[in-house]
Amino acid sequence: MDYENILRDWLLGLIAALLAALVLAEMGTQFLEPVLAPFANLLALVTFLAFILVTGAFLVYTASFTD
């Protein structure tokens, strides 16, 4: 298993999540307010929780290699 790819993908996912949060914070109300605001909030919450779970799983996995 190539650990550099896992770390790279994790960092790219973090950057993408932060950019999406910035875009929605700046422009989200005018595009999403009428119909899509509840769905966007739910999607943001699910994405954030999935990112936290994956990060936690990665930390637990790496901690299992300690002697």
Side-chain angles (χ1 to χ4, degrees), residues 6-61:
I6 293 173
L7 183 61
R8 184 198 65 213
D9 292 344
W10 180 82
L11 289 172
L12 287 174
L14 177 62
I15 292 169
L18 291 174
L19 285 175
L22 286 174
V23 168
L24 283 177
E26 291 297 320
M27 304 171 68
T29 55
Q30 62 186 354
F31 292 117
L32 300 176
E33 191 61 38
V35 178
L36 297 178
F39 298 112
N41 289 335
L42 180 65
L43 182 62
L45 178 65
V46 168
T47 304
F48 177 72
L49 291 177
F51 185 76
I52 294 298
L53 285 173
V54 168
T55 302
F58 179 74
L59 292 176
V60 168
Y61 177 73

